[in-house]
Each structure stands twice: as C-alpha cells, then as structure tokens.
Amino acid sequence: AKAIGNTYNLLESRGFDNAMKGVHSILLGHNRYATQGRVSVRNAHPFEFPNVVGAHNGTVQMSSLSKFHGYVDYDVDSKIIYSHLSHLGAGGIDAVWEAADGALALTWWDKQDKTLKMIRNKERPLHVAYSQDDTQIFWASEAWMFWVAANRHGIKLKDYIELVPNRLYTFTFTAEGKVQHIERDLPPFVAKPIFVGQNNW
C-alpha cells in the first residue's frame, strides 16, 4: 500500500485497507521526503522485489551503485539497493555494505528465510524495542516514535536498544511466537580512490 502527499492519503486508501486485512508477521512502513528520483507512488517506500521488501532511511551516492542490479532500471537509490539485495540473495548485504557510499539505515523482510533484517551506518540512527513478553518488536529511527505509538495502544515495552553501526541484526520467530535475534558485524564502508586523470584522485 503506497501513496504520496499527506499521510492520510495512504490511511484512507483502499490499498491500505486491503493490506491491513488478515494476519501478518510484519508491518513495515515508511514516511519520508523524496531525495532522489521522481516523486511518484511507484518510487515510494517500501520497495518490493521477488526476495525482499524493504525501506531505507538515508541518501546514497548514485555513482557508488553503478554496478548494482537495477541501476539502469531505477532512479531511486533505495530501490536500486533492494533490487540488488533481492538479486544476490543471502550474501547480498555484504556487497551492498562494501560499495554503497552514503547514509544507510536499512530494514527488510527476507522472503527466502522469513527473517527481518536491519543494519545502519553511523550516518543514520535506528532503534528497536521488544514487547514485555518478547512476542513483538518495534523499530524506528528515533526511539520516542515507537514509545508514543505503544503508549497509545497500551503496549508495554522493554528498554530500547540503539543498533550498533555496521552490525547486521537478523530477527527470527520461534515456534512459541517469541522474537529473537542474532548479530553479525560487517566492515564499515571505505571510500576507494578514483583516478580522474592528470595525476588527480
């Protein structure tokens, strides 16, 4: 379910009503100003591809994505990143993290292994909190956002954690309905010198 303009354009849409029907494991939403590409419903977050559905907070230099799957097809950095993640599968985040130059806070549902994944660099914050019974997690760029939402609905949360930069968090769900996660560190992005001629780098 996507819309542009005022948030109520989404909340009042038929697509939103349809998306909210039934039982879901994950509700992933995103609200932001456009920073690259044409402003359109098609370019709105989250982005869905065969293997992933994701949203990205931040802006990445398009030139750093020039070798990514989808680079010639899309004019939005985030869409190119998720196209590449979907195309590469399980190891895709390592390739993205090595090449993408810019601010990154990525969240995505991996359709292949049915996990929720999150990673950020030092340019963008990302926070997570578990419900008191460990059956739900909430996340937002700023912690106060999910505290307000939880309080409005009477949901009690444990203390939040701020995700460590350059660390991949993979959230899974046990047979008992509990949320758990594992962590894996990735090397931080290092800009590579580019020779532009006349002894200039």
Side-chain angles (χ1 to χ4, degrees):
K2 297 185 179 192
I4 57 174
N6 192 294
T7 306
Y8 288 105
N9 295 348
L10 174 65
L11 299 179
E12 295 171 357
S13 71
R14 181 179 295 138
F16 185 79
D17 289 341
N18 290 338
M20 295 304 290
K21 289 178 182 173
V23 178
H24 303 286
S25 296
I26 300 289
L27 293 174
L28 184 152
H30 197 43
N31 181 29
R32 64 171 286 177
Y33 285 107
T35 55
Q36 292 183 9
R38 191 168 61 85
V39 176
S40 67
V41 171
R42 205 177 145 132
N43 284 346
H45 297 240
F47 296 109
E48 183 171 10
F49 289 95
N51 296 319
V52 301
V53 180
H56 163 219
N57 184 26
T59 305
V60 174
Q61 297 287 336
M62 291 293 278
S63 59
S64 70
L65 308 177
S66 63
K67 295 182 180 172
F68 279 30
H69 185 270
Y71 179 77
V72 298
D73 302 313
Y74 309 119
D75 61 349
V76 177
D77 55 351
S78 311
K79 200 167 187 177
I80 296 166
I81 288 168
Y82 287 113
S83 172
H84 199 57
L85 278 175
S86 181
H87 179 71
L88 293 181
I93 189 58
D94 295 86
V96 168
W97 219 245
E98 181 182 352
D101 182 6
L104 289 157
L106 300 174
T107 58
W108 72 98
W109 175 250
D110 188 317
K111 296 180 185 180
Q112 292 180 302
D113 63 12
K114 303 289 190 281
T115 61
L116 175 67
K117 295 186 169 98
M118 301 182 194
I119 191 169
R120 62 169 280 238
N121 64 14
K122 64 181 182 177
E123 305 298 325
R124 289 292 182 272
L126 193 55
H127 299 82
V128 170
Y130 281 75
S131 60
Q132 290 284 350
D133 61 3
D134 291 326
T135 62
Q136 301 173 73
I137 60 165
F138 301 85
W139 68 95
S141 55
E142 298 177 45
W144 67 266
M145 294 175 178
F146 54 69
W147 284 109
V148 169
N151 286 336
R152 280 186 184 166
H153 296 281
I155 298 170
K156 297 193 182 302
L157 300 178
K158 294 182 177 179
D159 286 341
Y160 71 88
I161 59 170
E162 182 173 7
L163 272 57
V164 175
N166 306 306
R167 181 172 294 172
L168 176 65
Y169 293 76
T170 301
F171 297 87
T172 58
F173 305 89
T174 68
E176 298 78 31
K178 303 284 187 180
V179 182
Q180 58 188 13
H181 78 271
I182 58 172
E183 304 172 11
R184 176 171 69 90
D185 289 332
L186 276 70
F189 172 80
V190 177
K192 297 169 185 64
I194 299 173
F195 182 67
V196 295
Q198 300 286 331
N199 295 319
N200 293 317
W201 292 82

